[in-house]
Amino acid sequence: MSRAQAQQLLERSIGQDADFRPHQWEAIEGLVNNQERQLLVQRTGWGKSTVYFIATKLLRERGAGPTLIISPLLALMRNQIEDAEQQLGLDGWTINSNNTEEWDEAKQRVVDGQCDILLISPERLSKQEFREEILMEMEDDVGLLVIDEAHCISDWGHDFRPDYRRIRRILQELPSQIPVAATTATANDRVVDDVTAQIPDLRVIRGALVRDSLKIQTITMDSRASRLAWLAENLDDLPSAGIVYCLTTDEVEMVAKWLTQQGFTAKPYHGGMDGDRREGLEAQLLANEVDALVATNALGMGFNKPDLGWVVHFQRPPNLIRYYQEIGRAGRGLDEAYALMLSGEEDDEIAEYFIEEAFPEPADFEAVLQTLEESDDPLYKNDVLKRTNVSWKVVTKCLDILRVENAVLRVDDGFERTSKEWEYDHERFESITEQRWRELAQIQEFVDTDGCLTKYIDDVLDGTMEAACGQCASCAGEFLPSTVQNEELVDKAVEHYRSASWSVISARYYDPDRDGGRSKIAPSRKPADGRALTVYGDPGLGELVRQQQGSDEPYGQELVEAAVEHIQTVWEPTPAPTWVTAIPSQDEDAQVADLASRIADGLGLPFETALRKVSQTDPQHELSNSYQKRWNVEGAFEVTEAVRSDPVLLVDETVNSRWTLTEAGMTLRDNDSGAVYPFVLAKRNTW
């Protein structure tokens, strides 16, 4: 294969004037002519997919088998696969949980040799059906293996995924002459060393990591209300369309609503949306039909818009690697693009939460393993949750790690324990956690540094920059204001949080049975949908709740008045409640009863002590999953003689699992009260 042949395919892909970027031809030649195994560490937008698609086309013309691409970014790679089909005539297929109707055709095309590219997630490697029906068919006929986002193989990669460990086993079974392209934009020396140790004989091809077009600026701004005001003042001064990144789904929705109110065309984007909705939003951004998408990191690696003019981080990411990836969305095809980070101390709370929750505790693994060992039959995840005080997220992580390390087997009827001995690797998990804390300290230092911001990132990535960039805010001066000019906008932003952060407390429809299954809660028993006035800790009311909950003093009048106003003018439950009661506390704390009584006064309704606590319960926040929280409060209340037969407002401070409100509501309904409307001051963050 000559460079001229590859050049023709590059021009078909990109255009007549296209030329290879540094290292691209070198990588293609190594894969096609020399059957190399490579680790490509190249910046976002460099063209890693260009390398392996052209290599695929050349290998297929030689009679080689299909390319197998393993990627965690199936949704965001669909544009790349479509481009490969249209520009190079490659036949690409994906097997994932969202396209089961296409599986049979995809399998048949693999077997018949008509499939050029098969794209799967690393989790697909754990499925026995896939291994038997597809992977075994391909093993002797794979033309090229591509491991996308290869940093995920490493414990030290910022986005480690347990199922990536399976790739090493696949490589051991593949014939040595099959070329391999492992690609990433986010591997420092430590990650490269770890990946090359796990996948021997990788040739590392490494390039410049930070894009020359990016102008980087960091702004310290503790108040999220001030950050909203800053966005309103400055987004008009940024070129083209862009992305505002937030750390949580709630914040995405809040920021998108604010920008819309300020006259921008801004849409929310997060992992809670279905694939079609996200694909439509991506298309709008690609076509510049919106000013911005406000997104979590669900819009990250793999999204390619060459003319994206800017990225703004509304909150500071937990590490510089993730920050580098996300700003890498901007400026791929522009001479100048902007990356701006707004940050403050409160961002640490979210970052610290995810560090502390990254790995389950030894007791969690022990509980999961013991539960499986004691069962005569396989158990589904829900069955494990019912028998342990472990959260859904933690059980999922335990099972993922235990599956990959062969201590647990996934079978048709759930999970079962294998005979393999397994011990908690304290040293490994603790060292990774310590590294995450160091990474948090790095990005905190990045925000405060007076040195070149671009070089700081390059140094963390072990890049090749030798001098300051000359164009970041540290080198060339601020290019956007670092403070809000119009303080009235800050007041409006606080009011936005007050008015927009309420949420519906959806009524629960099912009650889990202790011996398995669940039963539907009869409409005559369950509470109606309720309301949470704000989000705990949000600017304005949410921060007041955080400050005042648990105090020896009553809640402030501002919260009481806001609650009354919301109930009367925003919510207006129908039929309207005619009396008010409160969730009783087992420690005789009068704060909730006082709150409910004053809300009743504001509504002009009587307050009644209609419920009493009759059994000792554990604090709900100390229990980890919904099943345990439900059974913790089962039978915990009884009514007093003060219960009325009319609709009632049921008041508490905060809500998370909804089981306390549900149990109290069912107790009232079972004793002939009217409709029960739950109301709380704040919804707790679950992140």
Side-chain angles (χ1 to χ4, degrees):
M1 184 270 301
S2 66
R3 179 164 182 160
Q5 291 172 283
Q7 178 69 33
Q8 288 179 349
L9 294 177
L10 179 70
E11 292 173 3
R12 280 175 59 181
S13 299
I14 298 175
Q16 290 299 313
D17 297 328
D19 200 2
F20 286 114
R21 289 178 173 147
H23 304 307
Q24 282 185 320
W25 158 246
E26 176 187 351
I28 293 169
E29 182 184 34
L31 292 171
V32 177
N33 289 342
N34 304 324
Q35 292 79 50
E36 287 182 347
R37 295 189 170 191
Q38 301 174 353
L39 175 60
L40 298 175
V41 184
Q42 302 286 348
R43 68 182 179 225
T44 55
W46 172 80
K48 294 182 283 292
S49 62
T50 296
V51 167
Y52 53 73
F53 286 144
I54 289 178
T56 295
K57 184 69 174 178
L58 292 165
L59 288 165
R60 291 291 281 166
E61 288 176 350
R62 287 181 162 195
T67 290
L68 176 64
I69 303 176
I70 302 171
S71 172
L73 309 168
L74 303 191
L76 291 174
M77 283 195 69
R78 56 177 166 259
N79 292 336
Q80 296 177 14
I81 295 293
E82 288 171 2
D83 289 345
E85 291 174 335
Q86 294 170 6
Q87 296 160 358
L88 296 176
L90 294 171
D91 185 50
W93 290 84
T94 300
I95 292 181
N96 61 67
S97 56
N98 294 321
N99 71 340
T100 52
E101 72 282 355
E102 299 177 8
W103 286 10
D104 288 342
E105 186 175 359
K107 292 173 186 175
Q108 194 58 50
R109 294 188 75 82
V110 169
V111 171
D112 293 343
Q114 297 174 310
C115 170
D116 298 314
I117 300 167
L118 182 64
L119 173 65
I120 64 166
S121 71
E123 288 75 20
R124 187 61 42 191
L125 300 174
S126 68
K127 307 298 181 184
Q128 185 173 352
E129 179 185 7
F130 174 81
R131 294 198 305 270
E132 292 177 353
E133 297 185 14
I134 300 293
L135 200 55
M136 289 179 67
E137 287 283 345
M138 295 182 70
E139 274 182 358
D140 294 331
D141 195 34
V142 173
L144 170 66
L145 175 64
V146 176
I147 307 165
D148 189 34
E149 308 304 335
H151 61 272
C152 297
I153 294 172
S154 171
D155 286 342
W156 309 109
H158 72 100
D159 191 26
F160 168 70
R161 293 195 176 202
D163 279 286
Y164 261 80
R165 288 178 178 271
R166 299 180 188 277
I167 295 172
R168 180 170 56 179
R169 298 173 202 162
I170 291 173
L171 283 166
Q172 290 171 347
E173 296 171 3
L174 286 178
S176 59
Q177 72 272 16
I178 293 177
V180 175
T183 71
T184 181
T186 54
N188 58 18
D189 288 345
R190 187 174 197 173
V191 174
V192 168
D193 290 345
D194 194 15
V195 172
T196 52
Q198 294 190 54
I199 306 177
D201 304 322
L202 283 180
R203 176 191 175 202
V204 180
I205 302 179
R206 194 166 190 168
L209 297 177
V210 183
R211 188 172 296 114
D212 295 337
S213 61
L214 275 181
K215 301 180 71 173
I216 303 171
Q217 180 177 347
T218 64
I219 299 171
T220 300
M221 194 173 287
D222 280 335
S223 163
R224 279 181 284 156
S226 296
R227 299 182 209 181
L228 287 184
W230 186 93
L231 290 176
E233 286 186 336
N234 291 286
L235 286 197
D236 263 340
D237 295 329
L238 294 173
S240 182
I243 301 171
V244 179
Y245 277 113
C246 301
L247 293 179
T248 68
T249 297
D250 283 347
E251 208 66 49
V252 162
E253 296 286 352
M254 187 67 63
V255 173
K257 287 177 185 176
W258 165 259
L259 290 176
T260 300
Q261 290 174 8
Q262 302 308 307
F264 296 96
T265 307
K267 302 285 182 69
Y269 181 107
H270 52 75
M273 298 174 170
D274 64 46
D276 290 342
R277 172 66 175 148
R278 285 194 282 172
E279 187 173 354
L281 290 167
E282 292 164 28
Q284 290 181 50
L285 182 58
L286 288 167
N288 292 318
E289 295 172 359
V290 293
D291 297 317
L293 291 185
V294 184
T296 62
N297 65 340
L299 182 64
M301 301 178 292
F303 179 74
N304 183 24
K305 176 177 167 61
D307 64 338
L308 192 80
W310 51 270
V311 166
V312 171
H313 280 83
F314 185 75
Q315 294 158 301
R316 186 186 64 228
N319 58 66
L320 266 175
I321 306 297
R322 174 166 154 184
Y323 175 68
Y324 163 76
Q325 277 192 322
E326 290 169 354
I327 65 174
R329 309 273 72 75
R332 293 184 173 195
L334 299 174
D335 293 333
E336 189 173 82
Y338 296 84
L340 301 114
M341 185 203 297
L342 308 177
S343 69
E345 289 184 5
E346 66 174 18
D347 300 338
D348 288 337
E349 184 177 344
I350 300 174
E352 289 167 3
Y353 170 85
F354 283 113
I355 291 172
E356 290 166 355
E357 298 294 316
F359 293 106
E361 294 293 324
D364 297 325
F365 281 104
E366 183 179 340
V368 171
L369 286 170
Q370 185 175 344
T371 299
L372 293 174
E373 286 172 356
E374 291 175 351
S375 175
D376 295 331
D377 301 307
L379 296 177
Y380 290 111
K381 196 179 300 181
N382 281 341
D383 299 318
V384 177
L385 288 165
K386 289 176 182 179
R387 303 179 192 196
T388 61
N389 183 29
V390 182
S391 73
W392 175 274
K393 186 180 295 185
V394 170
V395 165
T396 300
K397 288 181 179 179
C398 286
L399 290 172
D400 284 345
I401 292 171
L402 292 169
R403 273 192 308 108
V404 172
E405 297 183 3
N406 293 323
V408 163
L409 185 65
R410 181 73 167 91
V411 294
D412 289 341
D413 298 327
F415 297 90
E416 62 182 19
R417 182 73 167 96
T418 67
S419 59
K420 182 180 179 181
E421 290 293 323
W422 188 88
E423 290 185 1
Y424 187 88
D425 192 339
H426 287 271
E427 183 177 352
R428 173 174 161 245
F429 290 143
E430 287 172 7
S431 61
I432 296 169
T433 301
E434 288 170 3
Q435 175 64 14
R436 297 293 180 263
W437 287 112
R438 288 192 290 271
E439 290 170 352
L440 177 58
Q442 272 179 340
I443 198 167
Q444 290 168 336
E445 183 178 303
F446 170 73
V447 170
D448 296 331
T449 185
D450 294 327
C452 175
L453 297 170
T454 308
K455 190 171 187 308
Y456 190 103
I457 295 172
D458 193 72
D459 287 346
V460 168
L461 291 166
D462 296 316
T464 57
M465 284 183 66
E466 296 181 355
C469 71
Q471 66 180 25
C472 71
S474 292
C475 292
E478 295 179 349
F479 35 86
L480 285 177
S482 58
T483 58
V484 175
Q485 309 302 303
N486 181 1
E487 285 297 322
E488 290 183 4
L489 269 176
V490 179
D491 295 335
K492 288 183 180 178
V494 171
E495 185 55 37
H496 173 67
Y497 274 105
R498 287 182 61 130
S499 62
S501 65
W502 65 265
S503 57
V504 174
I505 303 172
S506 301
R508 286 193 170 274
Y509 281 81
Y510 296 98
D511 197 359
D513 301 325
R514 289 179 184 268
D515 58 354
R518 62 183 184 177
S519 55
K520 192 171 184 179
I521 301 173
S524 60
R525 298 190 69 214
K526 70 180 182 182
D529 288 348
R531 287 292 174 90
L533 178 64
T534 187
V535 174
Y536 192 83
D538 265 5
L541 297 176
E543 183 56 33
L544 288 179
V545 178
R546 186 209 296 264
Q547 293 171 3
Q548 296 174 22
Q549 187 181 28
S551 168
D552 293 334
E553 300 295 323
Y555 280 105
Q557 189 60 23
E558 184 178 358
L559 284 170
V560 174
E561 291 175 358
V564 171
E565 180 183 3
H566 181 86
I567 293 164
Q568 288 182 326
T569 64
V570 180
W571 186 8
E572 299 182 293
T574 305
T578 62
W579 60 291
V580 179
T581 194
I583 295 289
S585 172
Q586 64 188 25
D587 58 7
E588 299 183 0
D589 181 3
Q591 199 175 26
V592 180
D594 176 80
L595 170 69
S597 176
R598 291 161 63 202
I599 289 174
D601 287 343
L603 295 171
L605 300 176
F607 170 76
E608 302 287 357
T609 305
L611 290 166
R612 68 168 65 96
K613 197 84 176 284
V614 295
S615 66
Q616 192 77 9
T617 60
D618 295 321
Q620 289 286 74
H621 68 270
E622 293 181 2
L623 300 172
S624 297
N625 68 59
S626 181
Y627 295 110
Q628 306 305 320
K629 292 181 180 185
R630 193 281 166 270
W631 297 324
N632 181 51
V633 296
E634 188 173 26
F637 307 110
E638 69 177 19
V639 298
T640 70
E641 63 281 357
V643 67
R644 298 187 178 197
S645 60
D646 303 316
V648 58
L649 187 75
L650 175 63
V651 177
D652 203 357
E653 298 169 288
T654 61
V655 65
N656 186 296
S657 71
R658 296 170 285 158
W659 278 120
T660 299
L661 292 169
T662 301
E663 177 66 19
M666 291 194 298
T667 302
L668 289 167
R669 294 302 308 272
D670 288 346
N671 287 274
D672 301 324
S673 82
V676 176
Y677 298 104
F679 177 83
V680 302
L681 291 180
K683 179 182 77 170
R684 285 279 187 175
N685 284 312
T686 54
W687 294 324

